[in-house]
Amino acid sequence: ESDYTFFENKLILSVSGMLDELLFMMSEGRGIISPEIHAFCVKDEMVNAFCFGVNNRYYIGILSATYVELMKRVHWLTDYLVQRKDLHYYQNRDSVEIQALLWNYAFKTIVSHEYMHVILGHCDTVCEKTAFLWENAGSEESKSMSSSEILSMQAMEMFADEFSAMDAVMQILTECGDDVEKIKYELEMAG
């Protein structure tokens, strides 16, 4: 019943099957004793992800269009980067390698952003009563939010972004050691 191609469906199923393992590795690799977090894919044509908590269990949902849209954007970006003569980091690199790295970083950033919401306690504070409202800013429920609630939601989004970005940089620095060229390349890919 999906409008996606065979390859796109395989990508969604394959990656969705690895989400819980990715979340476990994210916690274990950082020495975080994290709460129980489960991830799942929701069939939806919007590009987004969300998280919520119920009875000390946390969930990260990723909408199916996110996987496919990321793949398209990564393909376009790779073509652009390879054609630019002034970006020497991308010269003599295989397009498939660049696409894989970009998709990997982009997808991990989405998951990491939601993961940081859980780790930073956002699901246990304002989000407990106003779950999903920030993502649906035009909804009827969001119109009844106070200015301080809206600012709190915006701050949580910014904190999740900031901690996710800092974490990605730390992972790159740890993996690359003293290889400055590799660090530059990996940071360029993650940016």
Side-chain angles (χ1 to χ4, degrees), residues 133-182:
L133 292 185
W134 180 244
E135 286 83 0
N136 301 306
S139 70
E140 288 302 314
E141 296 93 350
S142 69
K143 292 176 184 172
S144 66
M145 291 174 66
S146 70
S147 297
S148 64
E149 287 176 314
I150 291 171
L151 287 173
S152 293
M153 297 295 274
Q154 290 174 335
M156 284 187 231
E157 289 300 314
M158 290 176 8
F159 281 132
D161 282 341
E162 185 178 340
F163 278 87
S164 178
M166 288 186 324
D167 186 67
V169 170
M170 292 306 297
Q171 293 293 316
I172 289 169
L173 293 174
T174 300
E175 291 171 12
C176 294
D178 294 333
D179 187 344
V180 175
E181 285 303 310
K182 186 169 184 182

